[in-house]
Amino acid sequence: MDGLRVLLLVAGVIILLINFFINSGNIIKIVKYCFQTNSIANYWDLIFKSCFSGRAIISSIIGLVLGVIIFIIITPIILIRRVLGAKKTNALLDEGLIFQYPDLNLENDKLVFKTNINNELGIQVPNVNASGKLRVDAIIAISEITKECEAKGLKLEYKVMHKLPLENKTEALISLFLTVNNQEIPTYFIYTPTHVQQYNKIRNKLYAAGYKKIIYFSTIQF
């Protein structure tokens, strides 16, 4: 009898360890996902899908216990990361290092971009209507700029949402980064008074970094 009890105990321990490691592997994947998304919104849905089964009571109990322990550990960490991330984002926005571009749906307003591209590049770009959607407006502007550069024999290259290193290990995210005859020209799309304020700040930083020409396409006169 003692030998049987030992065997049953060993078998029970082995079953517990197997279920522990299976659930641990699933929970590690869930934790990685939570940190990648910086959110715990889907944590319990994923736990129930991965660690619970009506036919595996022991495994489900182990999964629940591990799930609760890990949830208690990661929740404050993710909340702190979100607060710090929000502060960092706000600081970048305030300095004009990044712009936010929500869809504004300006098609019915029949707005035409005002631009200084003639002053900076010496080319005339036909009126570009503003849709309020950055991707659409950028594509149209690039098409018109390309036509004008080809007509004047200018070599044009461009990048969208380009990260540009600046002083003090900062980076500016440029809406459209033009290279015309090897001259690099940051280009911005401006839709709101906030964008105007950000543009004025980042323009000074870019100028100090050696970018003497900066182009804008703006729905606001400034």
Side-chain angles (χ1 to χ4, degrees):
M1 291 293 294
D2 289 340
L4 180 60
R5 289 176 180 174
V6 171
L7 288 174
L8 290 173
L9 178 61
V10 171
V13 170
I14 292 174
I15 292 172
L16 289 174
L17 287 174
I18 291 173
N19 283 285
F20 174 82
F21 285 116
I22 291 174
N23 282 298
S24 296
N26 291 332
I27 291 175
I28 287 172
K29 293 177 182 178
I30 294 169
V31 170
K32 287 181 178 178
Y33 171 79
C34 289
F35 278 112
Q36 287 172 352
T37 59
N38 215 26
S39 171
I40 53 175
N42 297 316
Y43 179 84
W44 285 111
D45 285 341
L46 295 172
I47 288 290
F48 281 112
K49 289 178 181 178
S50 302
C51 302
F52 280 75
S53 172
R55 293 178 295 180
I57 303 301
I58 294 176
S59 177
S60 297
I61 293 173
I62 294 173
L64 176 61
V65 173
L66 287 175
V68 170
I69 293 172
I70 298 301
F71 184 78
I72 292 172
I73 293 172
I74 69 170
T75 296
I77 297 173
I78 289 178
L79 291 176
I80 291 170
R81 280 164 53 100
R82 290 179 65 177
V83 170
L84 294 177
K87 288 183 178 179
K88 182 179 179 180
T89 299
N90 289 335
L92 294 174
L93 288 168
D94 184 62
E95 291 299 317
L97 294 171
I98 61 174
F99 283 41
Q100 287 183 330
Y101 288 104
D103 287 348
L104 298 176
N105 297 317
L106 302 177
E107 291 92 341
N108 295 331
D109 295 338
K110 297 181 180 179
L111 297 176
V112 175
F113 280 116
K114 302 167 184 65
T115 179
N116 65 339
I117 194 168
N118 183 43
N119 295 333
E120 300 297 277
L121 278 181
I123 64 174
Q124 294 286 348
V125 174
N127 291 340
V128 177
N129 293 325
S131 71
K133 298 177 177 64
L134 177 63
R135 181 177 297 180
V136 174
D137 294 337
I139 289 173
I140 296 173
I142 290 169
S143 176
E144 296 298 336
I145 294 170
T146 300
K147 291 177 184 177
E148 293 301 313
C149 285
E150 289 177 349
K152 288 185 174 292
L154 302 175
K155 181 182 177 182
L156 171 68
E157 297 177 351
Y158 63 87
K159 300 175 183 177
V160 294
M161 304 309 278
H162 174 61
K163 289 184 178 180
L164 183 66
L166 297 177
E167 297 177 349
N168 301 322
K169 297 182 179 180
T170 59
E171 285 184 335
L173 186 62
I174 313 297
S175 311
L176 176 60
F177 193 73
L178 302 178
T179 303
V180 182
N181 283 358
N182 298 319
Q183 184 176 21
E184 296 177 331
I185 308 172
T187 303
Y188 284 89
F189 290 83
I190 297 171
Y191 298 96
T192 68
T194 299
H195 287 162
V196 174
Q197 296 172 4
Q198 292 174 306
Y199 174 81
N200 288 331
K201 288 185 178 181
I202 193 60
R203 179 175 57 182
N204 294 332
K205 291 182 174 63
L206 291 170
Y207 192 89
Y211 296 92
K212 307 305 181 183
K213 294 185 177 182
I214 305 170
I215 293 171
Y216 64 79
F217 286 84
S218 176
T219 60
I220 301 173
Q221 185 68 54
F222 66 97

